[in-house]
Amino acid sequence: MRFSPSVLSTAVVTALCAASVSVFAQTSEASVDTAIERITVQGDFRRQTAGQLAGSVTVVTAEDVQRQSVQHLDQLLNQFANVNFSAGASRGRFIQVRGIGERSEFVDTINPSVGILIDGIDYSGLGISGISDIAQFEVFRGPEATRFGANALAGMLNLTTKGPTDSAEGKASLTVANYDSYQLAGQFSNAINSTWGYSLSLEQQVSDGFIENRFLNRDDTNNIDEFTGRFKLSFQATADLKLQLVSHLVDQDNGYDAFSLDRDRTTLSDEPGQDKLHSKALALQADYAGLSFARLHGQLSWLDASMDYGFDEDWSYVGLHPDEYSTTDRYLRDREQLTLDYRLVSTDAGRLGSSDWVLGIYAASKEFDLIRQFWNWDLWQADTFASALNRSNLALYSELSSPLTERLTLVSGVRLERYEDEYADSSANQISNSDTMWGAKLSLNYQPGPQALIYLLASRGYKAGGVNGDALAKAADDNLSELQSKASFAPETLYNAEFGVKGTALDQSLVTRVAAFYMWREDMQVKGWLNPDSGPQFAGFIDNAGSGRNYGIEIENRLQLHPQLALMVNASWLKTKLGNYVTIDGEDFSGREQAQAPRFSYSVAADWYLSDTVTFNVGLQGKDSFYYSDGHNARSSRYELLNLRLNYQLQQWQLAIWSRNALDQDVGVRGFYFGNDPRDGYEPHVYEQFAEPRRVGLSASYQF
């Protein structure tokens, strides 16, 4: 399999131009110091800018979030190259990077391919609620096993929220929008004295949602009702030791009524579902600089979450049709985790001939409990399925950065991780799984100047295997021999080869980043379904396809065309291929494109400073169609989103009128292909869940 010549040549030309512009800017204006890019990547071992770090990384600040009038992670992800998400719930909870990532989680516990960290706490699989207090958001693309482990097979989302400050700072904001929506948020931070400081952020977000239930005559069955609270307390214990306590609270009480038999935004459900999440988390972070040879960074974190997710399976009401059925499906999940991550980072880096090293240890204990309440078609009665999974992880990792010359550096990293699972369920299944996995990275970095980087990167990522509890239970109930072979699934491995160029003009008039990659997937995990009797009963399981290929290009540019006009252009091209994969029903999808992997995506945004107080922001985001699943051929539609914002700044006040999806496009964020409508004899259709339609709102904030 080869790169498209035209695409590859475009990447090389763009890369060389970026390096040339950057070097020219550095040599001609080397005395300018204030223009150097200073935003550092928080998720890396060391505080480096995105332009100094080998790999495809995007850094987003609070100002970038405000530009697009973003209120939730769903709306933020559309502007990133080669990033996609799926919903199947009230929010987009499952992320795909470069075409790799899960689309749902029902009975079986999964190891996400793309993880989520908030202030260093693992929220993978839970999603993100409030982002009003965001300080910085980072998207890592490609395997990041050395840094993040099994949750970063394809990438990682790392969010850092605002923390304590040396003096009193605060902000209060209110947003009102159509669909009876409002968002109320406030942040305050201060120093108690010379050693103690704190920050507090609160956010409440409410909306009726974008669905009309015609049977119940309601427009709030898919509503949003979310509260997020975060508190940080810092303590400078000694000159060398700083401690910080982080506390999170999330209370989400959302409805879930998203799929329509008529395949639009109107539903007929008589028992709308719910998507509730109640979580609390604590973390103790330590930073010790008292050692002569290294700095110690550490975090001990705890999270407890309970989820209540359910839906009306028939999407209709009793009396719709003589051939109808009426059932619900409900998943009650509890998750508790304790994680520890401590590392030593050398302090004598930067001198020619001296190596920069990192040595760390990671340990985690996670408990996943599930109670599923559903209709058992074999027993023809309501039934319950319960399972418990206890997983422990232990990992050692290291990274070494060795300067070869003044401009050339070799960076190598490795991580060795062991996981052990103990699984039990109400079908009397007891299974123990364990495996030892390893990840690595090797990059050769050439810096022609302080503001430019050319790199070659090879990396290896992994994700854990697991147990197919749903398949085991169905095999016992139905005596289906096909499912008995799907008791468990193996870990997946991802190999990545990448070439990239990053350049920044010293006056910041141009920032360009290009990455071309080729990835090999081994034992790739895919979601499979078996419909034994062609009725509403499905058995889901995770299967291992033989292999997969993902390759493409990502380009990010920021241009200051005029002192009053800035332009941001992000684009990606992606080609994917399933390896040898035949479904349990006998359908051969070998060689087909992978799910959630659009061929191209782009985001173009402009900031036009009309005056000292008035700014106009416009953004256009587009994405090609893609397959919704690896197990059927249903596809989304290609779409373009237009976002507009007119902002007025007056001293400490800021007022804005905005519109997201101003063209009112129907954007699919989850799709299935099967028959569920008795009115047409259960003829198979593509059923889609749609993202938000046109949104119009007003925002006001006061900063003090």
Side-chain angles (χ1 to χ4, degrees):
M1 189 175 298
R2 298 174 298 158
F3 284 101
S4 168
S6 61
V7 176
L8 181 58
S9 61
T10 301
V12 173
V13 171
T14 306
L16 294 176
C17 290
S20 301
V21 170
S22 176
V23 173
F24 175 79
Q26 293 152 15
T27 55
S28 63
E29 300 185 54
S31 62
V32 181
D33 179 67
T34 57
I36 295 177
E37 184 182 35
R38 299 188 183 279
I39 299 176
T40 59
V41 179
Q42 304 293 310
D44 190 46
F45 289 132
R46 291 187 176 276
R47 299 296 173 86
Q48 304 180 82
T49 67
Q52 297 172 320
L53 187 64
S56 183
V57 183
T58 300
V59 179
V60 175
T61 64
E63 290 74 20
D64 299 318
V65 172
Q66 177 182 282
R67 175 187 298 115
Q68 299 290 341
S69 304
V70 168
Q71 296 174 281
H72 192 269
L73 178 66
D74 293 5
Q75 300 125 24
L76 183 61
L77 292 178
N78 286 321
Q79 62 186 278
F80 300 129
N82 269 336
V83 177
N84 204 2
F85 72 92
S86 63
S90 61
R91 293 291 201 184
R93 188 174 298 155
F94 301 95
I95 316 300
Q96 301 87 39
V97 172
R98 294 178 173 175
I100 302 175
E102 287 62 46
R103 297 170 300 282
S104 60
E105 183 178 42
F106 291 100
V107 175
D108 305 317
T109 301
I110 58 174
N111 181 165
S113 300
V114 181
I116 297 175
L117 294 177
I118 306 178
D119 293 327
I121 301 172
D122 184 7
Y123 280 83
S124 303
L126 298 178
I128 295 177
S129 295
I131 59 172
S132 63
D133 61 339
I134 183 174
Q136 192 162 298
F137 183 74
E138 299 154 1
V139 178
F140 292 80
R141 301 180 186 86
E144 289 287 346
T146 303
R147 174 63 184 90
F148 299 111
N151 283 351
L153 175 81
M156 176 64 73
L157 307 184
N158 184 58
L159 187 146
T160 304
T161 62
K162 295 177 181 177
T165 52
D166 295 332
S167 58
E169 294 183 11
K171 182 180 180 180
S173 60
L174 172 65
T175 295
V176 294
N178 54 340
Y179 297 96
D180 290 332
S181 306
Y182 75 85
Q183 179 184 32
L184 183 62
Q187 300 98 41
F188 184 76
S189 61
N190 198 4
I192 301 173
N193 52 39
S194 59
T195 58
W196 291 89
Y198 68 93
S199 65
L200 175 67
S201 65
L202 303 172
E203 178 186 332
Q204 178 71 52
Q205 191 166 164
V206 172
S207 175
D208 282 348
F210 321 115
I211 292 294
E212 179 185 355
N213 189 308
R214 287 189 294 167
F215 176 74
L216 296 177
N217 195 26
R218 290 171 52 189
D219 61 4
D220 62 350
T221 53
N222 202 51
N223 70 301
I224 297 295
D225 185 357
E226 297 174 345
F227 171 81
T228 305
R230 298 188 179 108
F231 175 75
K232 294 183 179 181
L233 179 66
S234 64
F235 174 49
Q236 190 72 47
T238 68
D240 295 322
L241 177 62
K242 183 177 181 180
L243 302 174
Q244 182 167 254
L245 178 68
V246 179
S247 176
H248 294 174
L249 177 65
V250 175
D251 188 359
Q252 172 183 301
D253 192 9
N254 297 346
Y256 181 48
D257 184 27
F259 283 93
S260 165
L261 290 180
D262 296 318
R263 303 188 295 282
D264 55 21
R265 295 182 186 271
T266 61
T267 64
L268 300 171
S269 309
D270 56 358
E271 299 179 90
Q274 67 285 333
D275 185 20
K276 300 180 181 181
L277 169 65
H278 305 282
S279 71
K280 46 188 180 292
L282 291 172
L284 180 61
Q285 301 169 340
D287 185 359
Y288 181 64
L291 302 175
S292 60
F293 60 93
R295 196 177 190 111
L296 175 65
H297 301 277
Q299 175 166 299
L300 178 65
S301 65
W302 166 82
L303 179 142
D304 182 80
S306 61
M307 291 161 278
D308 182 355
Y309 168 76
F311 49 91
D312 190 334
E313 280 190 297
D314 52 287
W315 306 341
S316 63
Y317 57 89
V318 175
L320 175 72
H321 191 272
D323 296 331
E324 69 187 14
Y325 72 99
S326 179
T327 60
T328 61
D329 203 0
R330 187 179 185 185
Y331 300 81
L332 300 169
R333 270 192 167 85
D334 289 311
R335 167 175 159 183
E336 186 172 8
Q337 65 188 39
L338 185 66
T339 61
L340 177 149
D341 193 351
Y342 277 80
R343 62 183 177 272
L344 290 170
V345 181
S346 64
T347 54
D348 59 350
R351 294 185 293 106
L352 184 61
S354 66
S355 295
D356 173 13
W357 54 267
V358 176
L359 181 63
I361 183 171
Y362 169 87
S365 175
K366 300 180 180 180
E367 298 179 2
F368 304 90
D369 296 318
L370 168 69
I371 297 177
R372 181 192 182 193
Q373 300 170 350
F374 66 106
W375 181 262
N376 190 316
W377 290 90
D378 297 311
L379 301 178
W380 203 256
Q381 65 182 28
D383 202 355
T384 299
F385 173 81
S387 67
L389 173 66
N390 295 328
R391 170 169 291 174
S392 59
N393 297 68
L394 180 63
L396 297 174
Y397 60 88
S398 66
E399 186 175 276
L400 181 66
S401 178
S402 304
L404 304 179
T405 68
E406 186 178 355
R407 298 180 183 273
L408 192 63
T409 304
L410 180 67
V411 179
S412 58
V414 65
R415 186 183 186 109
L416 185 66
E417 184 163 354
R418 175 78 176 177
Y419 79 90
E420 296 184 354
D421 287 352
E422 295 292 335
Y423 172 86
D425 64 30
S426 56
S427 297
N429 295 301
Q430 292 187 344
I431 299 177
S432 297
N433 271 349
S434 63
D435 214 322
T436 300
M437 307 171 293
W438 64 275
K441 66 179 290 187
L442 184 68
S443 69
L444 188 62
N445 305 339
Y446 176 69
Q447 284 193 282
Q451 296 289 97
L453 174 69
I454 302 173
Y455 67 88
L456 286 171
L457 170 67
S459 54
R460 183 186 197 271
Y462 57 85
K463 62 183 294 190
V467 177
N468 281 317
D470 193 25
L472 283 171
K474 295 294 193 311
D477 293 342
D478 304 330
N479 194 28
L480 294 174
S481 59
E482 303 100 316
L483 291 176
Q484 292 173 357
S485 64
K486 305 298 181 182
S488 61
F489 53 95
E492 179 179 346
T493 304
L494 177 65
Y495 296 90
N496 175 58
E498 186 169 323
F499 166 74
V501 174
K502 303 180 180 185
T504 303
L506 197 58
D507 61 358
Q508 299 290 295
S509 60
L510 172 65
V511 178
T512 300
R513 292 167 188 150
V514 180
F517 60 89
Y518 193 103
M519 302 196 300
W520 299 259
R521 302 178 68 178
E522 289 190 355
D523 294 320
M524 62 177 292
Q525 296 175 8
V526 294
K527 184 69 174 182
W529 297 92
L530 180 64
N531 185 207
D533 55 7
S534 300
Q537 178 85 326
F538 284 84
F541 57 90
I542 298 174
D543 204 358
N544 290 102
S547 62
R549 299 290 184 266
N550 302 57
Y551 58 93
I553 295 173
E554 297 145 0
I555 301 174
E556 297 181 340
N557 297 287
R558 185 185 189 280
L559 302 92
Q560 192 70 44
L561 301 177
H562 185 273
Q564 293 178 283
L565 181 62
L567 182 67
M568 285 69 66
V569 180
N570 301 332
S572 62
W573 176 84
L574 177 66
K575 177 65 176 176
T576 64
K577 181 180 179 180
L578 285 168
N580 181 24
Y581 180 51
V582 180
T583 71
I584 198 170
D585 289 327
E587 294 189 78
D588 189 353
F589 289 104
S590 302
R592 202 206 69 178
E593 289 183 350
Q594 297 170 25
Q596 295 290 134
R599 281 283 188 98
F600 66 83
S601 63
Y602 65 88
S603 173
V604 180
D607 296 342
W608 184 13
Y609 301 92
L610 301 175
S611 68
D612 292 338
T613 58
V614 180
T615 308
F616 179 63
N617 310 111
V618 58
L620 181 65
Q621 301 160 351
K623 192 166 292 184
D624 194 15
S625 64
F626 52 84
Y627 288 104
Y628 280 123
S629 172
D630 290 320
H632 58 70
N633 286 317
R635 297 179 67 99
S636 70
S637 298
R638 172 180 170 177
Y639 68 82
E640 287 78 30
L641 296 177
L642 178 64
N643 301 325
L644 306 169
R645 180 183 177 95
L646 185 63
N647 192 79
Y648 177 68
Q649 182 81 44
L650 179 62
Q651 297 178 347
Q652 295 165 289
W653 284 95
Q654 185 177 99
L655 304 174
I657 180 172
W658 53 265
S659 177
R660 289 195 305 267
N661 190 9
L663 301 178
D664 200 23
Q665 297 288 296
D666 284 335
V667 178
V669 290
R670 188 71 171 107
F672 297 98
Y673 180 77
F674 62 96
N676 203 39
D677 193 341
R679 298 173 300 182
D680 62 8
Y682 293 100
E683 183 74 19
H685 297 286
V686 179
Y687 292 106
E688 294 178 284
Q689 177 181 346
F690 296 110
E692 63 177 9
R694 181 188 294 118
R695 304 297 309 281
V696 178
L698 294 168
S699 299
S701 64
Y702 178 72
Q703 193 159 358
F704 54 93

